[in-house]
């Protein structure tokens, strides 16, 4: 698989690149691809079907200069702290491995390197539900995927030093969701590496994740093609940089 | 115009249904939440299908819509979850 080294950019750029890779892969123009990236400035991405009004506190986001971008994938809202999380994405043909045919198994297969990383750090880590990863019983990572024409795009977050107080302020997490998980507030549900006693910076986290993804998928470092960059530019205009898309629900 | 909102927590994800009602007719239906459905375009198609029906017909429309569609995959969510969200909206 191709590996695209860390890209730090705005949320509309990151979301456009993920979709551009998927489109190019569907057209057979690029190989299966793993990449790691970080958001700058700190951003919120919301799931394909989420309601901006219900699920994000837009006043807080506005005051803190946090852009809000809608993903192509379903699932929930994510706070991508500029210096507190790394996002991964994998674009892969469904025929790469038998585990990819089943949605539940595919989440675990593709996000497996994150669990490997947490275990190497000495944490009790594993999957929870469909798409979450927990460390010492609390959520530290979530993933989302879409499937089109035999190709999967899965992306997800890995929190090493996310400011959970900012996360709690900017995301509107419904009471129904928290009480369903048997907890009354976000602090009981979410954790970060730092809170588990492990202090890593962006580069250390990046190198650890890169190692674990390389071990799982045999990666070869390369860069995005001109075709993907052109597609990404069009997608920023048509979708991820466009209020019509971001505020559609 | 009356605005109904109902939520239901499926095994994975919250489903929120908003209905604009005029004289017993669902003039507009919006489905939002943090669930997954593949292909994603399904939700827009379902909203379109629900529009213009009497409130008491909505659950039946949901049943018919999903019965006709074999291409849809909803991890940890089922048709009943959408119907419960509608029921909860109409209680409101």
């Amino acid at each position: 698989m191709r590996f695209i080294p860390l890209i730090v950019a705005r949320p509309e750029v990151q979301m456009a690149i993920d979709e551009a890779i998927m489109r190019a892969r569907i057209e057979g123009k690029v190989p299966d691809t793993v990449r790691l990236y970080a958001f700058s400035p700190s951003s919120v991405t919301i799931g394909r079907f989420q309601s901006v009004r219900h699920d994000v506190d837009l006043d807080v986001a506005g005051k803190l200069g946090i852009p809000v971008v809608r993903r192509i994938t379903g699932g929930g809202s994510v706070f991508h702290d500029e210096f507190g999380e790394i996002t991964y994405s994998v674009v892969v043909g469904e025929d790469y491995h038998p585990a990819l045919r089943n949605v539940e198994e595919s989440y675990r297969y593709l996000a497996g390197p994150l669990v490997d990383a947490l275990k190497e750090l000495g944490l009790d880590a594993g999957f929870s539900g469909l798409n979450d990863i927990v460390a010492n019983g609390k959520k530290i990572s979530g993933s989302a995927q879409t499937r089109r024409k035999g190709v999967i795009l899965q992306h997800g977050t890995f929190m090493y030093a996310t400011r959970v107080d900012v996360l709690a302020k900017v995301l509107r997490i419904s009471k129904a969701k928290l009480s369903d998980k048997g907890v009354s507030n976000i602090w009981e549900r979410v954790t970060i590496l730092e809170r588990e006693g492990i202090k890593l910076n962006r580069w250390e986290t990046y190198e650890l994740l890169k190692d674990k993804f390389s071990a799982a998928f045999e990666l070869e470092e390369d860069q995005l093609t001109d075709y993907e960059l052109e597609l990404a530019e069009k997608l920023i205009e048509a979708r991820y940089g466009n209020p019509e898309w971001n505020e559609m629900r | 115009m009356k605005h109904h909102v109902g939520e239901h927590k499926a095994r994975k994800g919250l489903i929120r249904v908003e209905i604009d009602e005029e004289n017993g007719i669902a003039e507009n239906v919006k489905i939002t939440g943090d669930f997954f459905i593949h292909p994603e375009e399904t939700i827009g198609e379902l909203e379109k299908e629900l529009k213009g029906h009497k409130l008491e017909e909505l659950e039946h429309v949901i049943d018919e819509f999903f019965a006709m569609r074999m291409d849809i995959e909803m991890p940890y969510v089922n048709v009943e979850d959408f119907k419960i969200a509608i029921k909860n909206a109409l209680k409101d």
Side-chain angles (χ1 to χ4, degrees):
Chain A
M1 277 196 202
R2 178 176 61 154
F3 175 71
I4 308 292
L6 188 75
I7 295 173
V8 180
R10 290 185 58 85
E12 61 271 24
V13 176
Q14 302 293 19
M15 293 299 99
I17 291 174
D18 278 357
E19 185 174 347
I21 296 172
M22 183 186 210
R23 286 182 181 230
R25 173 64 185 79
I26 289 169
E27 292 170 25
K29 291 194 165 82
V30 300
D32 294 334
T33 298
V34 171
R35 74 180 190 105
L36 295 172
Y37 55 97
F39 290 76
S40 180
S42 297
S43 308
V44 167
T45 65
I46 57 172
R48 176 75 172 251
F49 311 118
Q50 282 191 298
S51 155
V52 186
R53 188 169 58 86
H54 281 102
D55 296 315
V56 181
D57 192 323
L58 290 171
D59 285 342
V60 171
K63 271 185 208 130
L64 298 178
I66 295 173
V68 179
V69 169
R70 184 179 300 278
R71 300 192 304 269
I72 192 179
T73 49
S77 43
V78 180
F79 172 57
H80 303 270
D81 194 322
E82 182 171 4
F83 297 108
E85 73 95 42
I86 288 196
T87 306
Y88 78 95
S89 82
V90 185
V91 172
V92 63
E94 275 175 0
D95 50 9
Y96 178 83
H97 190 276
L100 297 180
R101 304 217 166 275
N102 173 280
V103 173
E104 186 177 19
E105 274 182 65
S106 64
Y107 271 111
R108 288 161 192 239
Y109 182 75
L110 297 175
L114 303 184
V115 173
D116 299 340
L118 292 168
K119 285 187 173 158
E120 182 163 304
L121 295 170
L123 296 171
D124 174 20
F127 291 95
S128 167
L130 177 68
N131 58 335
D132 289 347
I133 291 172
V134 292
N136 296 338
K138 294 190 182 71
K139 178 170 174 175
I140 197 161
S141 161
S143 295
Q145 66 168 245
T146 181
R147 295 167 168 251
R148 241 195 273 169
K149 297 183 177 160
V151 173
I152 299 171
L153 159 64
Q154 180 170 312
H155 45 202
T157 178
F158 185 88
M159 296 187 282
Y160 60 93
T162 295
R163 291 163 293 167
V164 181
D165 55 328
V166 180
L167 181 155
K169 260 189 275 178
V170 74
L171 304 184
R172 288 186 154 158
I173 311 208
S174 79
K175 290 196 178 66
K177 186 161 176 167
L178 287 171
S179 67
D180 191 67
K181 309 262 180 195
V183 296
S184 57
N185 72 64
I186 190 82
W187 298 95
E188 294 172 46
R189 163 156 155 75
V190 166
T191 194
I192 57 176
L193 283 184
E194 204 177 79
R195 204 176 157 202
E196 301 304 318
I198 295 160
K199 271 205 129 171
L200 294 186
N201 63 28
R202 177 191 274 170
W203 287 105
E204 290 162 339
T205 310
Y206 172 75
E207 289 297 335
L208 173 67
L209 294 183
K210 186 180 162 189
D211 269 6
K212 294 302 163 194
F213 274 102
S214 299
F217 301 126
E218 271 189 63
L219 303 180
E220 276 177 56
E221 200 164 310
D222 202 348
Q223 47 190 6
L224 295 169
T225 61
D226 288 345
Y227 182 69
E228 289 164 304
L229 293 172
E230 278 164 32
L231 268 181
E233 242 172 81
K234 285 183 196 150
L235 287 164
I236 291 169
E237 208 168 302
R239 277 199 161 167
Y240 304 105
N242 189 334
E244 241 178 80
W245 167 263
N246 291 324
E247 295 161 22
M248 71 187 285
R249 281 172 188 279
Chain B
M1 187 87 80
K2 194 166 184 292
H3 187 70
H4 303 267
V5 185
E7 294 185 348
H8 167 64
K9 178 75 182 62
R11 188 172 160 217
K12 165 64 211 177
L14 182 92
I15 300 173
R16 182 188 301 110
V17 173
E18 293 174 71
I19 303 167
D20 291 326
E21 176 205 344
E22 185 89 76
N23 302 320
I25 304 287
E27 295 291 344
N28 216 351
V29 180
K30 196 160 72 169
I31 302 170
T32 59
D34 59 359
F35 54 89
F36 291 95
I37 188 166
H38 311 288
E40 283 78 6
E41 288 73 23
T42 305
I43 289 301
E45 291 157 16
L46 176 59
E47 288 171 337
K48 215 183 265 174
E49 206 64 44
L50 290 164
K51 211 173 143 174
H53 282 273
K54 290 185 191 150
L55 298 186
E56 57 267 31
E57 291 171 355
L58 296 179
E59 284 185 58
H60 179 67
V61 174
I62 294 229
D63 271 330
E64 288 217 313
F65 178 84
F66 284 105
M68 303 282 286
R69 292 286 298 268
M70 293 299 130
D71 59 319
I72 297 172
E73 213 170 349
M74 303 188 280
Y76 291 15
V77 174
N78 57 46
V79 178
E80 214 48 43
D81 291 319
F82 284 98
K83 288 161 69 179
I84 296 170
I86 295 242
K87 259 194 210 120
N88 289 345
L90 295 180
K91 265 191 235 158
D92 166 48

